[in-house]
Amino acid sequence: ARPRDLLPPRTPPPAPRVPADVARAEALPAELAAWAQDAALAPEVRYTSLRRLERDAPADAVALATALLGDPVPFLRTNALAVLARSTDPRGREALATLDPQQQRLALALARRSQ
């Protein structure tokens, strides 16, 4: 037998357990953050997880939104920007201050819309 034949077959990692209705599911902040960051999930699920985290654990949402500013999905980047714009956490303002002027104007517009 070849060494490769002695290895157990590869199995894919288990799919994340995401409830059908993330908006109403019982979920810990760590679960919401993990779902929001999981690129394998639909952008809508990730967005809903971010918004739930914003409501349930605002400080965690600021840290997550800052990380999501670099996400490849434009929809999530824009909503991460909106979370930071709505936040009263000083870290949100600090993150916004590092952005280019166009993104800062968008953040200002988003903040005004939510008032």
Side-chain angles (χ1 to χ4, degrees):
R2 298 180 307 201
R4 178 178 244 163
D5 295 335
L6 299 175
L7 296 174
R10 285 188 172 187
T11 57
R17 293 183 183 177
V18 180
D21 188 354
V22 173
R24 293 192 175 113
E26 291 289 327
L28 297 173
E31 291 173 305
L32 294 168
W35 296 337
Q37 294 176 78
D38 190 341
L41 296 176
E44 296 78 11
V45 171
R46 298 176 66 202
Y47 160 77
T48 302
S49 299
L50 174 61
R51 290 301 306 268
R52 274 280 310 278
L53 192 63
E54 181 182 24
R55 183 190 74 199
D56 297 350
D60 294 339
V62 168
L64 177 61
T66 302
L68 289 176
L69 289 174
D71 197 272
V73 179
F75 173 68
L76 287 169
R77 286 195 311 267
T78 301
N79 282 287
L81 189 63
V83 168
L84 294 173
R86 286 188 295 266
S87 176
T88 58
D89 188 315
R91 294 174 304 144
R93 287 189 292 280
E94 290 169 11
L96 292 174
T98 66
L99 301 176
D100 66 54
Q102 182 180 4
Q103 289 176 313
Q104 289 179 357
R105 285 191 300 274
L106 176 57
L108 184 60
L110 290 168
R112 286 180 181 151
R113 268 182 61 187
S114 67
Q115 293 175 349

